[in-house]
C-alpha cells in the first residue's frame, strides 16, 4: 500500500467514526445550557445612555436585516453585547468590500431556508414546494479588518426609537387595554390586555416592555396570527406560547431601544427546558413565530413600517 493510499484509508476510517455535526442541535443545546443556569440568553443588558438606535443584527454589505432564529443567534453573541455593533457578514461578502477576516477567527453559524420542488401526486401539477433549512457561516464586524467603524443610526433616521414609540404602537394596534390590579396579562376570552397602573413599574421603559410583551400574546388571537391560546397554565404548550412572546419582546425591544427583560418572568425558565430538549426544532419554530409577532407589532409604528417598505423596494430594485 502506498503512503498516500494508507493516509487516505486512515483518514476515511477516522472520519467515518466521527458523528456528523448537527448545527441545529448544537444551538438548541446552547440555549438549554443557558436556561439550566437560570439565564435567559436573549436578554441584552440595557443602558439608557446607549439605547438610542436599533440593535437588531444586519448585514452591512447587503443592508438586509437578519430575521427569526438568526436575530436570536447573533443577538446572543458576546461581541454584539460588548461592542454595540450589530453588523455580521459572510467571508466572501467581506472580501467583496476589500475587507479581511482576521486570521484565526471562528465563524458563527446561522440558518436560512431554501425552497425545493418535489413530486406530489395530490397536487394538480404533480409538484409541490418544500423549504429546507440550511446553514452558513458569518463573522462579526469586530472580526474583520478594514471595515469602517460602526456609526449607530441617529434618532432622526430611526424615529421609532423615540420614547413615545411604544405608545404609538399600542394606540395603533387598537388593542383594548385596561389598567388596574397587580398583574399584567392578556385574556383571550375577552380579547383585552390588563396592566397594573404606572406606579407599579420602575419607570416608563419597564411599563413599555411589559405592555408590548402582552401585546405579543394579543397577536395570537384567531383574527390576527391565530396561535392556540387556550392552553392551561403550567402546560408545555402554555410555556411555549410564553417563550414566543419573550423572544418577540426581545426582538421589538432591540428595535425600540427599551429593556429586553420582562419583570417577574424568570419563573418561566424551567418550563421551557423540557420542550426544547425533546425537539431541537422547537427553538427554531419559536423564533420564527416570534419574528411574525415582532413584525406585526412594529408594523403599527408608521415610521418603522415606512422604513421596511423602503428597504424592500431597495432589495427588489
Amino acid at each position: 500500500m502506498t503512503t498516500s493510499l494508507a493516509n487516505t484509508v486512515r483518514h476515511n476510517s477516522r472520519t467515518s467514526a466521527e458523528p456528523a455535526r448537527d448545527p441545529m442541535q448544537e444551538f438548541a443545546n446552547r440555549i438549554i445550557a443557558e436556561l439550566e443556569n437560570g439565564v435567559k440568553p436573549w436578554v441584552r443588558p440595557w443602558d439608557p445612555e446607549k439605547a438610542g438606535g436599533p440593535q437588531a443584527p444586519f448585514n452591512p454589505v447587503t443592508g438586509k436585516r437578519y430575521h427569526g432564529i438568526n436575530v436570536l443567534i447573533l443577538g446572543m453573541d458576546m461581541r454584539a453585547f460588548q461592542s454595540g455593533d450589530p453588523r455580521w457578514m459572510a467571508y466572501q461578502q467581506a472580501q467583496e468590500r476589500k475587507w479581511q477576516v482576521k486570521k484565526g477567527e471562528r465563524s458563527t453559524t446561522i440558518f436560512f431556508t431554501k425552497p425545493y420542488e418535489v413530486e406530489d401526486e395530490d397536487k394538480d401539477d404533480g409538484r409541490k414546494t418544500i423549504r429546507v433549512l440550511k446553514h452558513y457561516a458569518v463573522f462579526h464586524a469586530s472580526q474583520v479588518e478594514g471595515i469602517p467603524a460602526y456609526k449607530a443610526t441617529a434618532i432622526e433616521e430611526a424615529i421609532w426609537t423615540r420614547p413615545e414609540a411604544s405608545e404609538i404602537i399600542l394606540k395603533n394596534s387598537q388593542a383594548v387595554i385596561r389598567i388596574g390590579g397587580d398583574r399584567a396579562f392578556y385574556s383571550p376570552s375577552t380579547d383585552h390586555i390588563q396592566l397594573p397602573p404606572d406606579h407599579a413599574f420602575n419607570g416608563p421603559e419597564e411599563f413599555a416592555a411589559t405592555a408590548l410583551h402582552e401585546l405579543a400574546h394579543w397577536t395570537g388571537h384567531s383574527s390576527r396570527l391565530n396561535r392556540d391560546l387556550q392552553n392551561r397554565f403550567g402546560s408545555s404548550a402554555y410555556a411555549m406560547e410564553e417563550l414566543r412572546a419573550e423572544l418577540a419582546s426581545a426582538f421589538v425591544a432591540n428595535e425600540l431601544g427599551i429593556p429586553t427583560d420582562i419583570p417577574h418572568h424568570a419563573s418561566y425558565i424551567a418550563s421551557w427546558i423540557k420542550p426544547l430538549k425533546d425537539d431541537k426544532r422547537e427553538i427554531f419554530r419559536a423564533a420564527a413565530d416570534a419574528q411574525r409577532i415582532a413584525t406585526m407589532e412594529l408594523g403599527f409604528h408608521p415610521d418603522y413600517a415606512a422604513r421596511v417598505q423602503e428597504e424592500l423596494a431597495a432589495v427588489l430594485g
Side-chain angles (χ1 to χ4, degrees):
M1 182 182 293
T2 64
T3 302
S4 61
L5 181 56
N7 287 340
T8 300
V9 170
R10 281 195 296 272
H11 174 75
N12 287 342
S13 63
R14 181 175 66 253
T15 55
S16 62
E18 295 173 355
R21 273 196 64 202
D22 185 344
M24 289 182 67
Q25 188 65 65
E26 289 173 7
F27 181 68
N29 290 346
R30 181 183 168 196
I31 292 284
I32 292 164
E34 294 275 10
L35 294 176
E36 288 180 330
N37 287 328
V39 175
K40 293 189 288 186
W42 49 84
V43 171
R44 179 186 293 275
W46 188 70
D47 182 345
E49 295 183 1
K50 299 179 180 178
Q55 291 295 305
F58 73 94
N59 187 308
V61 178
T62 65
K64 294 181 181 179
R65 301 163 187 261
Y66 293 99
H67 292 94
I69 195 68
N70 296 328
V71 177
L72 184 56
I73 293 170
L74 302 179
M76 283 168 48
D77 193 282
M78 284 308 299
R79 285 170 289 232
F81 274 131
Q82 293 166 351
S83 67
D85 189 334
R87 296 175 297 172
W88 296 82
M89 73 220 78
Y91 183 91
Q92 295 83 353
Q93 290 174 325
Q95 286 193 316
E96 288 172 14
R97 292 295 181 90
K98 305 271 192 277
W99 305 333
Q100 182 59 52
V101 174
K102 298 173 187 176
K103 187 175 181 180
E105 292 287 351
R106 297 187 64 178
S107 64
T108 298
T109 300
I110 63 174
F111 299 83
F112 68 100
T113 56
K114 186 173 182 179
Y116 290 94
E117 277 201 350
V118 297
E119 294 182 1
D120 187 344
E121 296 177 354
D122 296 330
K123 298 292 182 181
D124 292 339
D125 60 358
R127 309 285 292 175
K128 73 174 180 179
T129 301
I130 61 171
R131 303 190 72 83
V132 177
L133 194 67
K134 300 284 202 176
H135 64 272
Y136 65 106
V138 293
F139 294 86
H140 185 254
S142 64
Q143 299 175 281
V144 179
E145 293 177 334
I147 188 171
Y150 176 61
K151 183 180 178 183
T153 306
I155 197 166
E156 293 79 13
E157 300 175 67
I159 301 172
W160 57 90
T161 62
R162 288 177 176 168
E164 67 272 16
S166 60
E167 297 175 21
I168 293 172
I169 289 171
L170 290 167
K171 180 181 178 181
N172 288 345
S173 73
Q174 299 185 340
V176 175
I177 299 176
R178 300 174 186 170
I179 304 297
D182 59 358
R183 289 196 309 126
F185 60 88
Y186 166 67
S187 170
S189 60
T190 57
D191 192 25
H192 88 277
I193 293 170
Q194 188 77 34
L195 294 171
D198 292 359
H199 62 76
F201 297 90
N202 296 319
E205 294 85 7
E206 186 175 286
F207 176 88
T210 303
L212 292 174
H213 176 91
E214 300 309 330
L215 190 68
H217 289 305
W218 172 90
T219 68
H221 190 270
S222 58
S223 65
R224 300 176 198 110
L225 296 181
N226 194 25
R227 297 188 306 278
D228 184 0
L229 301 178
Q230 302 303 318
N231 301 293
R232 296 182 63 181
F233 178 81
S235 68
S236 175
Y238 184 98
M240 289 300 95
E241 165 63 18
E242 197 59 49
L243 178 59
R244 282 154 171 77
E246 278 272 342
L247 295 178
S249 297
F251 294 173
V252 171
N254 282 335
E255 280 289 352
L256 301 186
I258 61 176
T260 54
D261 201 9
I262 309 301
H264 314 303
H265 278 225
S267 59
Y268 287 106
I269 290 178
S271 66
W272 296 332
I273 294 173
K274 186 178 185 303
L276 298 186
K277 279 185 173 181
D278 289 344
D279 184 355
K280 66 183 179 184
R281 293 180 179 272
E282 182 56 28
I283 188 61
F284 289 78
R285 288 191 287 264
D289 282 344
Q291 183 64 65
R292 296 183 190 100
I293 294 168
T295 298
M296 173 174 274
E297 285 195 42
L298 290 166
F300 290 126
H301 196 297
D303 295 302
Y304 179 87
R307 173 59 65 88
V308 170
Q309 288 301 313
E310 289 174 9
E311 292 176 354
L312 182 60
V315 170
L316 297 177

